[in-house]
């Protein structure tokens, strides 16, 4: 090992959706974090097309890998291990990364760790740049992960040993709902940043859109689960009624009111989990955390409730290889054996499995 056992040098590969990420970390220090996005290729479809994403990963992985090695100033001989997202995610996209990682492991003889994408988002919080003092996750913590493909609420007692799924979306993920509503309003893809931009000029109290799974009857069965299909449909009907009556649709007010409904549900359930379980810490992760209103409401509600709020740098909130390398480095430091090379991509890998197919 190139450094002490607590500082393994690990290369991580992330291809769960539409971003090809390769990151290199030493322990918790980011040496390189290179991302190639195929988002522009999906824009004309208004969302991620799995086949297009997989093909884009095939084309981008080689150059992204080379750039990461050059940026970190290391070669394969310097590495202690490889890590790759084994799931959850899009099956075809995952297979590209897993296949490439297995090929590299076979060619170099390096141990390979197939790791969980969602656990990676939690691990992003422990990463830091060179010359910056790092920090570890304080346990237990509640983690709210919000992206185009996932909306999950977790109880993390230990990063690699004890992650419990408290709740998740039962239909659309929050990011997916942002994309669909943006399309209804004639805004370009990706919808999250566009809704955020337009909503700045709108009134978040103009329209009271429904808050999914927040009624007492729903909370009895789905206290920590999410549903955003209903609010998306409510927006569609509201816009349709205004258009049918010949009235101008106030896009900014609709965007602001929709955003407020989603943020209200996300943070309401996250803070409730902290209170219910006596956990005074909340960690946010995932691309939707880039939304200004999410961060603003999280800061206010956590301050009011006496909850410590942790948000990784925005560059580490979206899908990236550095967070996958961070999970791999933690597994190496803990003395865990690598994954067997017969593991496959698992699009529905449960968050309780930080690593797949260990020897």
């Amino acid at each position: 090992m190139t450094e002490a056992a607590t500082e393994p040098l690990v290369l991580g590969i992330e291809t769960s959706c539409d971003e090809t990420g390769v990151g290199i970390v030493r322990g918790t220090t980011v040496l390189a974090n290179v991302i190639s996005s195929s988002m522009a290729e999906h824009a004309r479809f208004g969302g991620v097309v799995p086949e297009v994403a997989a093909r884009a990963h095939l084309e981008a992985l080689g150059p992204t890998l080379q750039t990461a090695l050059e940026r970190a100033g290391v070669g394969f001989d310097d590495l202690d291990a490889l890590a790759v997202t084994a799931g959850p995610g899009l099956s075809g996209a995952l297979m590209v990364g897993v296949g490439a990682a297995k090929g590299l492991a076979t060619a170099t003889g390096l141990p390979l760790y197939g790791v969980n994408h969602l656990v990676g988002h939690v691990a992003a919080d422990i990463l830091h740049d060179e010359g910056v003092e790092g920090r570890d996750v304080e346990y237990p913590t509640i983690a709210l992960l919000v992206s185009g493909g996932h909306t999950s609420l977790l109880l993390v007692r230990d990063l690699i040993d004890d992650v419990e799924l408290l709740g998740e979306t039962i239909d659309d993920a929050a990011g997916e709902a942002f994309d669909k509503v943006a399309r209804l309003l004639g805004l370009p893809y990706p919808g999250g940043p566009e809704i955020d931009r337009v909503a700045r000029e709108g009134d978040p109290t103009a329209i009271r859109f429904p808050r999914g799974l927040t009624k007492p009857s729903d909370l009895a069965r789905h206290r920590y689960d999410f549903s955003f299909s209903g609010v998306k449909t409510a927006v569609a009907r509201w816009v349709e009624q205004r258009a049918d009556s010949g009235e101008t649709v106030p896009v900014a007010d609709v965007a602001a009111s929709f955003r407020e409904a989603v943020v209200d549900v996300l943070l309401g359930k996250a803070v409730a989990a902290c209170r219910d379980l006596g956990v005074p810490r909340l960690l946010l992760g995932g691309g939707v955390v880039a939304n200004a209103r999410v961060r603003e409401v999280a800061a206010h509600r956590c301050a009011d409730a006496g909850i410590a709020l942790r948000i990784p740098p925005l560059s580490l909130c979206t899908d990236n290889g550095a967070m996958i390398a961070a999970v791999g480095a933690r597994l190496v430091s803990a003395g865990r054996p690598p994954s067997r090379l017969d593991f496959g991509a698992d699009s529905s890998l449960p968050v309780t499995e930080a690593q797949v197919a260990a020897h």
Side-chain angles (χ1 to χ4, degrees):
M1 189 168 288
T2 56
E3 295 284 339
T6 55
E7 296 290 319
L9 186 63
V10 180
L11 181 147
I13 297 173
E14 155 61 28
T15 63
S16 67
C17 192
D18 63 338
E19 289 166 317
T20 306
V22 178
I24 299 174
V25 306
R26 178 175 285 114
T28 57
T29 303
V30 179
L31 303 184
N33 187 32
V34 182
I35 299 171
S36 174
S37 175
S38 61
M39 191 176 293
E41 298 177 48
H42 302 283
R44 62 194 177 103
F45 302 106
V48 177
V49 179
E51 292 81 1
V52 173
R55 185 165 58 249
H57 287 309
L58 280 170
E59 296 171 354
L61 195 49
T64 306
L65 179 66
Q66 187 61 39
T67 301
L69 290 168
E70 292 172 356
R71 193 165 295 176
V74 301
F76 286 110
D77 290 343
D78 301 308
L79 298 174
D80 296 305
L82 304 170
V84 65
T85 299
L90 302 175
S91 294
L94 288 168
M95 283 190 273
V96 174
V98 169
K102 288 182 179 181
L104 288 174
T106 301
T108 62
L110 288 166
L112 174 61
Y113 292 80
V115 306
N116 192 296
H117 174 81
L118 297 180
V119 175
H121 276 300
V122 179
D125 189 55
I126 67 176
L127 291 172
H128 57 91
D129 293 330
E130 286 191 281
V132 178
E133 186 176 352
R135 60 181 185 176
D136 204 347
V137 176
E138 291 185 67
Y139 301 116
T141 189
I142 300 297
L144 174 65
L145 308 182
V146 193
S147 67
H150 305 284
T151 303
S152 306
L153 195 58
L154 314 177
L155 171 59
V156 184
R157 300 185 186 90
D158 184 87
L159 183 65
I160 60 173
D161 281 320
D162 195 347
V163 179
E164 178 184 346
L165 178 66
L166 297 176
E168 60 187 342
T169 182
I170 63 173
D171 42 53
D172 291 348
E176 184 180 3
F178 271 97
D179 289 337
K180 290 178 178 178
V181 168
R183 189 167 26 188
L184 285 170
L185 296 177
L187 301 174
Y189 175 84
E194 292 298 321
I195 292 285
D196 205 25
R197 178 183 62 80
V198 172
R200 295 189 194 110
E201 306 300 322
D203 178 3
T205 65
I207 310 156
R208 175 71 184 184
F209 288 124
R211 272 68 168 160
L213 298 184
T214 59
K215 295 178 181 178
S217 57
D218 293 324
L219 290 174
R221 292 183 55 208
H222 297 286
R223 184 162 184 78
Y224 304 127
D225 290 322
F226 302 93
S227 172
F228 298 108
S229 179
V231 66
K232 174 204 66 180
T233 301
V235 172
R237 288 176 178 168
W238 196 94
V239 170
E240 182 180 348
Q241 288 171 358
R242 290 294 290 256
D244 287 346
S245 64
E247 299 177 69
T248 300
V249 175
V251 173
D253 285 346
V254 174
S257 299
F258 162 74
R259 182 180 69 169
E260 198 69 10
V262 173
V263 172
D264 190 22
V265 172
L266 289 172
L267 274 305
K269 287 184 178 260
V271 170
C274 289
R275 285 174 166 160
D276 293 348
L277 301 174
V279 177
R281 286 171 289 275
L282 175 63
L283 166 65
L284 301 185
V288 176
V289 176
N291 186 288
R293 188 61 177 159
V294 170
R295 299 196 306 278
E296 181 183 1
V297 173
H300 286 312
R301 294 199 182 182
C302 285
D304 290 343
I307 296 168
L309 177 65
R310 301 268 292 253
I311 305 177
L314 294 186
S315 62
L316 295 173
C317 286
T318 55
D319 295 347
N320 64 87
M323 70 184 193
I324 302 306
V327 179
R330 185 56 61 92
L331 290 165
V332 173
S333 296
R336 299 298 173 81
S339 299
R340 302 187 307 271
L341 287 185
D342 62 354
F343 76 87
D346 186 347
S347 62
S348 58
L349 182 67
V351 72
T352 50
E353 295 183 35
Q355 178 190 359
V356 298
H359 278 290

